[in-house]
């Protein structure tokens, strides 16, 4: 263990003294405060904070990822290429110990920098209200919609398979698939039908009602608030681009099942602009004791258009503190760094520096957009192409971690709760499986390769 | 008897990209190096010396055959803890300074902090880099890097020292010091595998040599046996009178043999060292910063370092070595200025020989003259030594006494 630490300490010295880390640190030290001062967003406090966290954290993550890759690859390849490894590996140290020492060094450095810069971002964010002088309304808005970790509940996807099957049957019976579906594969037609039916379920004609029911709603503070997030789409745009709406919040079972559940219901009337995300705040007391909560929406007769909730609504409530959420978001970034360090070490064991770094960066960027890549396969038209791709590229991309799927920004910016279970899953997949696999591969390669250059 | 290094049909074939066998770098090598032996592996460039060493240490995998160091695989930490290795060039971490470099290697050997510290200071003193110990080794000249490389190989007080071209890039003084060091280590029971194409180095220090060419051993044996011209005799005397020479010539002629009388030439190495030592004596004050000028102190400090290392090794072998100091002493005492050259020569001739070839070698270089020619610098050296000895707690009692007692150099470089 002591020799592992010796190698680790040496690796950190290398990164620090060769000024690899210095450039990245300077960049961040300059850019982060600059961003904090210049981030405007929509000019409210919340908007500025969201912009700053979004850019600041993604920049920190990007730079630290690159730094980790570079240091990991460099420390291994330079030792081999400059042959310092001759004198190191002939000392009483096993090869796996050497490699683990290198990994430990790289990770300690990355961790230290991550803590420093995440801490810097956190400090800037927490002290922002002191130097930005927000209005009290802005402050409340920021408190409710940024300085918190809200659990987001989405209603379950409606099951429309039956309707889709009926619709398809009708199409087949009519013997004419019509203009819309001409030239589409049956798979695509199904997809289209499903989407249409789903939207139909979320559409309210004038005077009609939609109902969403949520189970297991457990706000952290029973005297706090719930937030219903929605976005109105219309088929006919009203002259002022705003729509009227009537809502009922609370224990709807009393109406629905005609049982005296003793629950409370709160009616609200609103007028909101269309096509922007709106949040309606209601008291958390409305939640029934068993965690039941319903939202009923009535398309106000004052409107002249059907209203479509294309993205469905979300129920948000404060479930944890901003600090805890921020720490978990940092942990997710740390998982990325662990993976990249293992990747760098692995490639460094058998490739030269330029090749290894190129390879790693390609992998890194693929992993950053892998969710998008995988999704895009679902939109391929030809079925044979799908088959070919899903067994080759999709499989390969599937091996990579999906950095974009669990981006911490997706949680921090809308102040959504990043639960421990999500973090746990990321740790399991990225660190325990994929990183470990790479590390083991690296250990095997390194244990069996010849370390000396061939000189005759 | 266990060999320090043993190879069995060791073969290394380098293949080209297609896997076709191209070059036999080492071909069916069977090498047996005894414990407590200085073994020289000679050969021209590309003869497979370095490849052999790399296979011994596990840096290259043999195509065929196997090798043992100290009776086992050298990659076993238990074995590699007892090996010191200096590669063909000192590949150092450029961003570390000299002290950190040694500390890093000391940590790899899992040495205690206290032990590490003492050894590092002793080694820095020994290789004469104390003044620049806080400079990054990336800024070192080749010779200085070589010295750090050597210190690195000695930090664990190895039983088997493998040196690949140890003297490349070193000035003659440094070269000489490495040779002295090798001999001293051998006296302490260590085994040294020396790999070089600088024949003079090998001739001076090696007990046995093997000459490698094309990956095969072309000749091997004791240096004395290989080089001794049995059909000739050489007599070296002081500057005696012409009459005496005449008499000797007559005696030789009576034996029906031919006789040539010349004044022996000083070796260039000896001359060089003396010249530098004198120059150093004159500019003592200003030269403290440059490592090469500290060389005068080096030899003496070297011995101290050795003794410290001795004491640090608290294993039973240390007790055996208690009997040895008189053997290692001469290196310091050769500087004793008041004895005259005759006595030295005499003592050299009468010295109980460790092995026959040693006398041969000693006689050949005539290193005794080195010390006696310039007594003053050595005097200075001795005082430095004494001062340092006083500063050091452990050898304090033993050393000065021995310094006084020993008679003038048993042998110059034995």
């Amino acid at each position: 263990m002591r020799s592992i630490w010796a190698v680790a300490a040496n690796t950190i010295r290398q990164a620090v003294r060769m000024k690899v880390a210095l450039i990245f640190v300077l960049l961040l030290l300059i850019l982060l405060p600059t961003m904090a001062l210049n981030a405007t967003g929509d000019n409210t406090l919340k908007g500025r904070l969201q912009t700053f966290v979004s850019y600041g954290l993604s920049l920190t993550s990007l730079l630290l990822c690159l730094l980790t890759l570079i240091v990991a690859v460099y420390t291994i390849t330079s030792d081999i290429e400059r042959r310092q490894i001759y004198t190191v590996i002939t000392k009483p140290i096993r090869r796996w110990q050497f490699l683990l020492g290198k990994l430990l060094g790289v990770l300690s450095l990355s961790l230290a920098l991550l803590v420093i810069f995440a801490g810097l971002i956190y400090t800037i964010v927490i002290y922002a209200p002191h130097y930005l002088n927000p209005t009290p309304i802005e402050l409340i808005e920021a408190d409710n919609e940024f300085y918190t970790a809200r659990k987001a509940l989405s209603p379950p996807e409606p099951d429309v398979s039956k309707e889709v099957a009926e619709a398809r049957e009708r199409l087949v019976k009519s013997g004419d698939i019509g203009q819309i579906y001409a030239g589409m594969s049956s798979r695509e037609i199904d997809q289209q039908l499903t989407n249409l039916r789903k939207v139909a379920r979320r559409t309210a004609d004038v005077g009609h009602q939609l109902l969403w029911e949520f189970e297991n709603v457990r706000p952290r503070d029973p005297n706090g608030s719930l937030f219903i997030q929605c976005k109105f789409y219309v088929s006919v745009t009203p002259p002022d681009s705003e729509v009227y709406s009537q809502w009922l919040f609370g224990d709807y079972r009393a109406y629905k099942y005609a049982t005296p559940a003793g629950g409370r219901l709160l009616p609200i009337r609103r007028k909101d602009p269309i096509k922007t995300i709106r949040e309606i705040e209601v008291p958390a007391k409305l939640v029934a004791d068993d965690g039941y909560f319903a939202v009923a929406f009535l398309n106000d007769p004052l409107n002249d258009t059907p209203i479509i909730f294309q993205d469905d609504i979300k129920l948000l409530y404060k479930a944890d503190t901003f600090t805890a959420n921020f720490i978990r978001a940092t942990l997710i970034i740390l998982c990325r760094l662990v993976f990249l360090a293992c990747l760098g070490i692995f490639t460094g064991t058998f490739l030269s520096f330029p090749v290894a770094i190129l390879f790693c960066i390609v992998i890194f960027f693929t992993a950053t957009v892998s969710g998008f890549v995988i999704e895009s396969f679902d939109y391929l038209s030809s079925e044979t192409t799908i088959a070919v791709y899903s067994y080759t590229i999709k499989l390969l991309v599937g091996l990579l971690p999906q950095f974009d799927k669990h981006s911490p920004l997706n949680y921090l910016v809308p102040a959504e709760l990043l639960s421990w279970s999500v973090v746990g899953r990321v740790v399991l997949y990225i660190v325990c499986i994929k990183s470990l696999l790479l590390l083991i591969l690296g250990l095997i390669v390194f244990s069996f390769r010849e370390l000396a250059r061939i000189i005759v | 008897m266990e060999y320090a290094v043993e190879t069995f049909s060791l073969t290394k074939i380098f293949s080209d990209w297609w896997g076709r066998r191209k070059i036999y770098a080492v071909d069916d090598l069977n090498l047996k190096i005894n414990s407590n032996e200085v073994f020289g592996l000679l050969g021209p460039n590309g003869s497979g010396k370095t490849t052999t060493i790399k296979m011994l240490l596990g840096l290259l995998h043999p195509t065929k055959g196997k090798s043992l160091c100290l009776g086992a695989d050298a990659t076993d930490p238990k074995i590699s803890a007892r090996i010191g290795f200096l590669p063909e060039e000192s590949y150092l971490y450029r961003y570390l300074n000299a002290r950190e470099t040694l500390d890093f290697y000391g940590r790899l050997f899992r040495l205690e902090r206290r032990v590490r510290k003492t050894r590092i200071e002793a080694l820095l003193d020994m290789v004469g880099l104390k003044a620049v110990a806080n400079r990054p080794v990336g800024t070192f000249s080749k010779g200085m890097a070589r010295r750090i490389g050597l210190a690195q190989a000695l930090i664990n007080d190895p039983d088997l020292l493998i040196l690949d071209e140890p003297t490349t890039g070193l000035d003659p003084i440094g070269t000489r010091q490495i040779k002295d060091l090798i001999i001293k280590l051998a006296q302490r029971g260590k085994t040294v595998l020396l790999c070089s194409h600088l024949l003079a180095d090998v001739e001076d220090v090696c007990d046995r040599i093997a000459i490698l060419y094309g990956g095969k051993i072309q000749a091997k044996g004791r240096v004395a046996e290989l080089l001794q011209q049995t059909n000739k005799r050489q007599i070296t005397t002081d500057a005696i009178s012409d009459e005496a020479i005449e008499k000797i010539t007559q005696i030789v002629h009576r034996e029906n043999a031919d006789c040539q009388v010349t004044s022996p030439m000083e070796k260039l190495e000896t001359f060089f060292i003396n010249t530098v030592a004198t120059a150093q004596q004159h500019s003592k004050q200003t030269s403290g910063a440059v490592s090469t000028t500290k060389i005068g102190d080096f030899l003496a400090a070297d011995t101290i370092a050795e003794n410290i290392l001795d004491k640090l090794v608290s294993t039973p072998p240390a007790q055996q070595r208690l009997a040895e100091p008189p053997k290692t002493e001469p290196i310091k005492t050769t500087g004793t200025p008041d004895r005259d050259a005759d006595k030295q020569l005499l003592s050299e001739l009468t010295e109980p020989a460790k092995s026959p070839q040693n006398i041969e070698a000693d006689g050949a270089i005539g290193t005794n003259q080195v010390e006696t020619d310039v007594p003053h610098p050595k005097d200075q050296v001795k005082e430095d030594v004494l001062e340092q000895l006083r500063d050091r707690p452990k050898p304090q009692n033993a050393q000065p006494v021995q310094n006084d007692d020993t008679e003038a150099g048993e042998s110059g470089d034995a």
Side-chain angles (χ1 to χ4, degrees), chain A residues 166-181:
Chain A
E166 279 169 16
R168 197 178 40 218
E169 219 167 284
R170 275 203 302 280
L171 274 178
V172 174
K173 262 187 197 158
S174 70
D176 182 3
I177 55 168
Q179 289 172 328
I180 306 172
Y181 303 118

Side-chain angles (χ1 to χ4, degrees), chain A residues 1-4 6-7 9-11 13-15 17-18 74 78-79 82-95 97-98 102 447-456, chain B residues 12 14 23 25 46 51 54 57-62 74-78 80-81 83 85 87-88 91-97 100 104-105 107-113 116 152-153:
Chain A
M1 196 59 205
R2 260 159 70 191
S3 38
I4 295 182
V7 174
N10 190 34
T11 309
R13 275 214 181 104
Q14 182 177 35
R17 297 212 184 147
M18 299 300 269
Y74 180 79
S78 88
D79 268 21
R82 292 178 188 276
R83 303 180 198 175
Q84 287 121 342
I85 197 151
Y86 287 11
T87 40
V88 177
I89 214 75
T90 50
K91 303 280 180 274
I93 180 171
R94 295 274 187 196
R95 290 192 181 188
Q97 288 175 321
F98 176 78
K102 287 286 182 195
S447 299
F448 289 103
R449 70 164 288 184
E450 290 186 326
L451 289 174
R453 193 86 61 79
I454 291 160
I455 308 165
V456 186
Chain B
K12 182 70 189 176
F14 290 130
I23 300 150
T51 309
K54 283 179 186 156
L57 292 167
L59 290 171
L60 286 174
H61 302 319
T75 54
D76 182 350
K78 277 190 203 108
S80 46
I83 297 180
F85 170 51
E88 69 269 25
Y91 303 115
L92 302 167
Y93 290 101
R94 292 180 302 161
Y95 48 87
L96 296 180
N97 66 35
E100 286 168 340
F104 170 59
Y105 289 111
R107 280 168 190 269
L108 287 182
F109 279 111
R110 300 183 183 87
L111 299 177
E112 293 296 328
R113 173 190 291 273
R116 225 161 49 218
Q152 160 283 125

Side-chain angles (χ1 to χ4, degrees), chain B residues 8 11 151 286 309 358 360 367 392:
Chain B
F8 307 95
T11 305
T286 54
L309 290 180
N358 263 9
E360 186 73 20
T367 35
R392 289 166 202 279

Side-chain angles (χ1 to χ4, degrees), chain A residues 69 73 338-348 359-360 363-364 438:
Chain A
L69 267 186
V73 173
V338 171
F339 174 81
L340 292 173
C342 290
L343 178 71
I345 298 268
F346 163 64
T347 50
F359 180 79
C360 287
I363 295 275
F364 169 58
L438 280 178

